[in-house]
Amino acid sequence: MSELRQVLQVPEGHRLRVRRLGVDTQFEPVVFMHKECAVCRSEGFVAHNRLLLRAGARHVIATLYQVTNDLIAPDEAALSESAWSRLELNDGDTIAISHPDPLESLSHIRGRIYGNGLSNAALLSVTADIVEGKYSDIHLSSFITACAARPLDHGEVLGLTKAMVDVGERLSWDAEIVLDKHSVGGLPGNRTTPIIVPIISALGLTMPKTSSRAITSPAGTADTMETMAPVDLAIPDIHRVVEREGGCIVWGGAIRLSPADDILIRIERALDLDSEGQMIASVLSKKIAAGSTHLILDMPVGPTAKVRSQEAADALSAGLVAVADAFGIKARVIVGDGTEPIGRGIGPALEANDVLSVLQRLPTAPHDLRHRAVALAGALIELGGLAEHGRGATMAAQTLDDGRAWAKFQRICEAQGGMRTPPGSNHRRPLAAGRAGRVDLMDNRKIAKLAKLAGAPEAKAAGIELHVRPGDIVSAGQPLCTVHAEARGELAYAMDYAAANPDIITVQEP
């Protein structure tokens, strides 16, 4: 029986008066009911059951929490902010409450846990149920873990990629060549996209860049770009910006491009998991849905990066290129140095400041960020046929140096809704060298964790500002970096972590 039919058959006695409790449960809808509620007793509802809530033509599946005191009356249901907004309710409205249909797609996940494969039909069933909000965070965690503990094979990656595309929207463009770029990640501060897009579009090529928010990093491109301009544009607005400027930098989650990906990213971030098969499906489903035809993949490799060895890079590159080719995308992987962060800022606003300094050609701009952005933009220029092999980087650098990229970036920001000034942090504290010597190693993973403990990416101004690079000579007590936070408690939490991990930035005696 469908959800609609099921709700229409709910008797009047299974309706409850609803009120807004004012509890923020982030993305997961939650309903609170009294344990002695007549509906709970008659239907056998217990805490953590998934319930189908309906108000008129709108419905949502929510997790039940039960109350035993007088916080909620027995004849009412109280909703979290997420459930309330999805049902578009007013105080005093009533909702119908019932059991949802059995979640049959969970059987596919259980099967994989016990060693079975996932067919295309099974993956589409799971993905569709995820997008329809039928999976709780517990269910989502089980799917992510099932696909991480035993890696997806090539057929499953193809099936998951296609399923993630099929359950969302797709963009199409008049241009024959639509360029795109993606960084595999794992390198803090590697925020090249907001530099690359204006370079490419200033040269007359088309680059509608849809970006994700952070998964396990202190900032994603969408998080950083949001401190400089709006990124949650609707599809007609994206078309308007690209038709006018040749490029955009927007959040793909706002337009339901591979919407399952944004749901999974939220859980992957909490679990600190980003398995290879799901990463390939995540990256390429967004590119396919965005209408990309040519793609450069930036893959930093280093002992504390996401990809730690050349062997791992070769395997991941082969998987990405093979899946891209299966969907008609011409992809090229650029393997780069992943031994240390890129730029000086780690965190949305701090990375935005680095981007702006490169675009504005300021003397203080980080040279490594400029160099990496120019190299990747050059590869895209060559892939797009505008320059011969080996000549693209020179063309990209000229576009930066003569101000065309900065002018184009400002126009893109204005077209997306207006340029913004990145925010500054309320609380700052330096992390000092414990001894004199030479900076030896910078642990990417611990630097990223320090920035996240300080509040990034949710707190846009939070993060780490680096003051040194490997090879620099420092004196005892000299600041190695500054921790930025928006809340005093998060600053203290981050500094406690730094004190317990003196190898975040290692200084060796000379």
Side-chain angles (χ1 to χ4, degrees):
M1 184 186 298
S2 71
E3 289 178 4
L4 178 59
R5 287 173 53 82
Q6 186 180 29
V7 172
L8 290 177
Q9 293 179 12
V10 171
E12 193 62 30
H14 286 67
R15 299 188 70 88
L16 287 177
R17 178 169 47 90
V18 67
R19 70 181 173 96
R20 188 176 191 172
L21 193 58
V23 173
D24 183 4
T25 56
Q26 284 200 314
F27 300 96
E28 185 170 17
V30 173
V31 56
F32 301 87
M33 298 169 66
H34 199 284
K35 191 169 185 177
E36 299 303 319
C37 168
V39 176
C40 286
R41 293 174 67 87
S42 66
E43 295 297 320
F45 295 155
V46 296
H48 282 284
N49 277 173
R50 299 281 283 168
L51 306 185
L52 179 61
L53 316 180
R54 183 168 174 83
R58 297 174 297 279
H59 69 272
V60 68
I61 295 178
T63 300
L64 171 66
Y65 287 88
Q66 293 183 315
V67 174
T68 58
N69 59 19
D70 59 359
L71 177 65
I72 299 168
D75 63 345
E76 69 179 0
L79 301 187
S80 68
E81 291 296 290
S82 175
W84 186 272
S85 62
R86 294 190 200 187
L87 291 176
E88 300 179 15
L89 296 165
N90 296 305
D91 283 320
D93 286 350
T94 62
I95 57 172
I97 304 176
S98 66
H99 289 283
D101 287 336
L103 197 51
E104 294 181 3
S105 65
L106 279 177
S107 64
H108 303 307
I109 297 174
R110 286 192 292 270
R112 195 173 203 285
I113 291 171
Y114 287 107
N116 298 321
L118 289 169
S119 67
N120 289 353
L123 286 162
L124 181 59
S125 174
V126 170
T127 306
D129 282 348
I130 288 172
V131 171
E132 290 176 16
K134 295 181 180 180
Y135 274 39
S136 68
D137 286 358
I138 294 173
H139 298 142
L140 292 168
S141 298
S142 68
F143 176 59
I144 290 167
T145 304
C147 296
R150 185 166 61 84
L152 298 172
D153 63 28
H154 179 66
E156 289 174 318
V157 175
L158 286 175
L160 180 58
T161 304
K162 185 176 186 305
M164 292 171 78
V165 173
D166 287 347
V167 297
E169 303 287 346
R170 297 188 72 162
L171 297 175
S172 59
W173 308 98
D174 293 332
E176 183 178 344
I177 294 176
V178 179
L179 298 175
D180 209 336
K181 169 263 174 187
H182 180 83
S183 176
V184 170
L187 195 58
N190 188 23
R191 200 55 55 214
T192 56
T193 292
I195 302 170
I196 293 170
V197 170
I199 290 174
I200 296 301
S201 54
L203 290 169
L205 297 169
T206 300
M207 190 170 179
K209 184 71 176 75
T210 60
S211 299
S212 298
R213 299 194 182 276
I215 303 177
T216 58
S217 68
T221 296
D223 302 308
T224 296
M225 187 65 191
E226 193 171 42
T227 70
M228 297 180 283
V231 296
D232 53 345
L233 275 64
I235 289 178
D237 292 321
I238 293 174
H239 277 284
R240 172 183 53 79
V241 174
V242 175
E243 288 168 5
R244 182 168 132 186
E245 301 298 341
C248 67
I249 309 164
V250 300
W251 175 43
I255 49 175
R256 288 180 57 82
L257 296 182
S258 184
D261 184 45
D262 294 289
I263 297 169
L264 293 172
I265 280 174
R266 175 173 59 84
I267 304 301
E268 287 170 341
R269 181 188 297 156
L271 295 175
D272 199 18
L273 278 176
D274 193 13
S275 65
E276 181 177 303
Q278 286 183 320
M279 180 173 67
I280 292 173
S282 169
V283 171
L284 294 177
S285 65
K286 287 286 179 70
K287 305 311 173 187
I288 297 161
S292 305
T293 62
H294 293 65
L295 172 65
I296 289 292
L297 292 151
D298 174 26
M299 188 177 295
V301 178
T304 59
K306 184 177 292 185
V307 182
R308 302 191 184 188
S309 67
Q310 188 59 52
E311 292 76 15
D314 292 342
L316 181 56
S317 297
L320 284 162
V321 171
V323 174
D325 182 67
F327 288 93
I329 296 177
K330 184 177 181 180
R332 178 184 169 194
V333 178
I334 307 294
V335 175
D337 180 15
T339 58
E340 61 183 275
I342 296 292
R344 282 188 287 273
I346 313 298
L350 293 167
E351 293 177 22
N353 291 333
D354 280 352
V355 166
L356 292 171
S357 69
V358 171
L359 287 168
Q360 294 170 0
R361 294 103 65 211
L362 299 180
T364 55
H367 297 295
D368 55 350
L369 179 62
R370 173 193 160 93
H371 176 77
R372 200 177 198 97
V374 165
L376 293 169
L380 271 171
I381 291 167
E382 294 169 8
L383 197 64
L386 203 60
E388 296 178 357
H389 181 70
R391 300 293 301 274
T394 299
M395 188 177 291
Q398 290 172 344
T399 310
L400 258 182
D401 292 338
D402 63 20
R404 282 180 290 166
W406 170 231
K408 174 60 75 173
F409 181 78
Q410 293 176 86
R411 291 198 296 271
I412 289 173
C413 288
E414 290 303 320
Q416 288 187 196
M419 196 161 182
R420 301 167 172 168
T421 300
S425 59
N426 297 320
H427 306 282
R428 305 178 187 185
R429 188 174 300 172
L431 177 62
R435 64 170 71 168
R438 180 177 58 84
V439 177
D440 185 34
L441 296 173
M442 305 181 81
D443 191 313
N444 288 315
R445 292 173 181 268
K446 291 184 177 180
I447 287 172
K449 185 170 183 177
L450 181 62
K452 290 191 288 183
L453 291 174
E458 287 79 9
K460 293 291 188 280
I464 308 300
E465 182 183 3
L466 299 171
H467 304 309
V468 296
R469 288 290 176 194
D472 289 354
I473 302 300
V474 299
S475 56
Q478 179 178 334
L480 301 174
C481 66
T482 298
V483 180
H484 292 243
E486 293 186 12
R488 195 181 304 275
E490 286 178 319
L491 178 63
Y493 193 26
M495 295 307 295
D496 286 346
Y497 175 77
N501 292 270
D503 58 343
I504 293 174
I505 300 176
T506 303
V507 177
Q508 297 284 5
E509 293 183 0

